[in-house]
């Protein structure tokens, strides 16, 4: 079915990504890769001639990565500050007593855990500073930050369940709650399977090879679910609390400062998700030993600490 | 910063995708690609030996594509049927008179245009049946289906604006509306720029090369915005109409059949988005002449009709 020519060998370039329409500067990198695998002298010279622009392209790639990563960090801080300010200043602060103040933990913990910490843990391996020989500390950090994100998400769910139960409100009926519970349940499953599959020494290589693409796709799916849950949740909450029928409270439709803050939080969360997706989808920003020739993670306490 | 070894040359395989952690079966395809570019006889033999599994892998890739595409089509139909049944059976049908019946066009047209038609137009070039020499009909079909999707989305927005104006309700204050209007505005911009950049013969090649990755990323961003807007919109609508205070209407929290249908529509839309993203992100499923060596679209009435 495929037209003539060699099998695909895309090298996603510095400014491009691995979404299929966008590989740039690919021919040079592919030729260099091919040349390095042959013993043919003229080809080697050809590769050398091509290495200078490739090196420049890589430097450019790293600079663009750090700009993206800086944006990711700024959006992380902005999301957490926004959700904390919203719930402490406009929603009355926090408590754990079944009141509306207990509910306030829900948005704070879900945004911080299921979006910000989750997204930052997902892009951890893309930071060139973590590309040293010993991968173990970064594997443990990835698992630890993900665990912290999972714990915060579960506590965030407990906050809303307790609040609902105290008011005898049913749980898990809205589309927001369906999407949110699916994100957290899949996240818990993903963490357990990831821990068993990639960190335990007894896990065989073929299982890791099978698990890896599923792990990545599940991870991206969970991030998208989290973002959809956050946006629908913020929208729902602002309609609930800004009804404009109690003294001094302006309705949502009048766009009072709280509505502007809540809407902005939604926009920031969406932007954060898009930046994380961009970082994850760029092959050039992948940790070099996650290349196909070394595709599966090495188990903890095996090989990588030698 | 990058560790030793050749520059990256990933060939996203049949079952994997171009998200960086998941290229499988890459070494063989890369070697085959390298071999095909050399004139070295032993290497040619090596390539021939590797061509059989590569061919099998491609056949497998095409079968998996069609399974994914079938799923995409089934989800498309399910989304349109669900949103039509919801608004005709549970919401009283359609009209264009400023009443709630006019509002009912809004979800139907946004889901059909901004999600289903948009997603299907986005994956059009991935269908192997469209990979003939003459790309022009498919380019025009891509642009035409996108235009139809854009028109439906704009009519869908008019429906809700008219309804709000008739009731003197302000427009564009909720997070749902911010996300939705951003999706439609970016979509309109994307269509105009895409038309000018990729279809007009006067558009220069360097501009196409610059535009292509932006076009792809903008396209994915619009799809994600659309899905977030749909999920928040369905959630909001179900809270509005299922208040349980008028005779015979069960509240949303009791999960009446309408709530189940609306929530299921949200889940179907999310699943559709994920399948479209999966199809778009797999390099193997890309139209062969969109490879780097022929990266930019050829203009209408130029080259491809010769």
């Amino acid at each position: 079915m495929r037209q003539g020519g060699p099998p695909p060998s895309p090298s996603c370039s510095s400014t491009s990504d691995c979404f299929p329409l966008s590989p740039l500067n690919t021919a040079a990198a592919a030729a260099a890769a091919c040349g390095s695998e042959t013993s043919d002298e003229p080809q080697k010279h050809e590769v050398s001639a091509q290495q200078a622009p490739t090196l420049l392209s890589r430097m450019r790639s790293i600079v663009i990565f750090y700009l993206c990563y800086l944006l990711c960090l700024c959006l992380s801080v902005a999301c957490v500050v926004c959700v904390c300010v919203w719930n402490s200043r406009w929603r009355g602060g926090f408590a754990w007593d079944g009141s509306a103040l207990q509910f306030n933990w829900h948005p704070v913990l879900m945004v911080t855990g299921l979006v910000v910490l989750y997204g930052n843990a997902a892009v951890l391996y893309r930071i060139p500073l973590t590309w040293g020989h010993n991968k173990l500390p970064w594997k443990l950090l990835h698992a630890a930050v993900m665990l912290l994100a999972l714990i915060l998400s579960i506590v965030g769910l407990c906050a809303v369940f307790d609040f609902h139960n105290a008011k005898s409100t049913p749980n898990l009926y809205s589309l927001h709650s369906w999407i949110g519970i699916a994100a957290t349940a899949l996240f818990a499953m993903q963490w357990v399977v990831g821990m068993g599959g990639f960190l335990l020494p007894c896990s065989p290589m073929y299982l890791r090879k099978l698990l890896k693409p599923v792990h990545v796709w599940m991870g991206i799916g969970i991030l998208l679910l989290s973002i959809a849950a956050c946006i629908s949740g913020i929208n729902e909450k602002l309609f609930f609390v800004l009804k404009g029928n109690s003294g001094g409270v302006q309705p949502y439709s009048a766009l009072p400062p709280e509505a502007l803050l809540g809407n902005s939080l939604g926009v920031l969360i969406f932007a954060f998700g898009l930046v994380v997706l961009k970082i994850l989808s760029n092959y050039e920003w992948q940790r070099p030993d996650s290349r196909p020739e070394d595709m599966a993670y090495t188990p903890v306490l095996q090989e990588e600490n030698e």
Side-chain angles (χ1 to χ4, degrees), chain A:
Chain A
M1 305 292 275
R2 195 173 277 281
Q3 288 178 341
S9 177
S11 164
C12 305
S13 77
S14 55
T15 53
S16 69
D17 50 68
C18 274
F19 279 110
L21 285 178
S22 56
L24 291 170
N25 307 327
T26 310
C34 296
S36 68
E37 285 166 5
T38 68
S39 58
D40 192 31
E41 210 49 44
Q43 280 189 2
K44 270 190 182 166
H45 287 149
E46 201 175 40
V47 170
S48 302
Q50 284 166 343
Q51 271 169 351
T54 307
L55 217 74
L56 263 177
S57 155
R58 285 199 199 154
M59 288 305 295
R60 192 164 154 246
S61 165
I62 287 168
V63 170
I64 295 172
F65 168 81
Y66 275 113
L67 287 176
C68 272
Y69 187 59
L70 186 67
L71 182 61
C72 176
L73 292 179
C74 291
L75 287 169
S76 302
V77 173
C79 287
V80 174
V81 168
C82 253
V83 74
C84 287
V85 168
W86 177 25
N87 286 280
S88 58
R89 170 143 185 216
W90 270 280
R91 295 286 102 230
F94 307 96
W96 200 275
D97 54 4
S99 73
L101 300 188
Q102 177 165 350
F103 177 90
N104 293 345
W105 282 114
H106 177 63
V108 168
L109 293 175
M110 300 317 275
V111 169
T112 309
L114 205 54
V115 175
V116 172
L117 281 180
Y118 182 95
N120 276 283
V123 301
L124 186 75
Y125 290 132
R126 301 300 187 281
I127 309 168
L129 280 177
T130 70
W131 291 357
H133 176 66
N134 193 354
K135 195 174 173 181
L136 179 61
W138 306 111
K139 288 174 76 167
L140 292 176
L141 186 61
H142 174 77
V145 179
M146 283 295 188
L147 182 61
L148 180 61
L150 182 59
I151 290 169
L152 292 189
S153 311
I154 291 170
V155 177
L157 285 186
C158 290
V160 75
F161 282 135
D162 266 13
F163 168 70
H164 282 169
N165 294 341
K167 285 181 68 184
S168 301
T169 305
N171 290 300
L172 300 179
Y173 62 87
S174 69
L175 178 55
H176 159 70
S177 64
W178 282 26
I179 299 277
I181 201 77
T184 315
L186 287 172
F187 183 15
M189 199 188 302
Q190 168 94 331
W191 193 87
V192 170
V193 173
M195 182 73 185
F198 298 120
L199 280 174
L200 293 185
C202 57
S203 158
M205 192 62 82
Y206 75 88
L207 183 67
R208 290 156 196 258
K209 285 192 179 183
L210 276 176
L211 271 183
K212 206 154 186 178
V214 180
H215 189 76
V216 173
W217 264 99
M218 181 86 99
I220 287 164
I222 293 166
L223 182 69
L224 298 181
L225 277 171
S226 311
I227 290 166
C230 283
I231 286 173
S232 56
I234 293 166
N235 195 61
E236 174 185 322
K237 178 72 182 174
L238 288 172
F239 271 111
F240 276 168
V241 297
L242 299 177
K243 286 182 178 160
N245 48 9
S246 52
V249 176
Q250 281 187 288
Y252 193 6
S253 58
L255 267 183
E258 181 178 354
L260 277 175
L261 181 69
N263 285 3
S264 305
L265 172 62
V267 172
L268 287 170
I269 287 170
F270 187 86
F272 173 80
L274 217 57
V275 171
V276 168
L277 201 64
K278 174 75 186 165
I279 291 176
L280 289 179
S281 67
N282 193 325
Y283 182 85
E284 274 283 312
W285 296 343
Q286 187 186 356
R287 189 184 156 92
D289 59 1
S290 290
R291 293 283 138 75
E293 60 273 17
D294 184 12
M295 216 194 67
Y297 290 104
T298 47
V300 174
L301 308 176
Q302 190 181 312
E303 289 177 2
E304 62 191 352
N305 283 331
E306 287 168 11

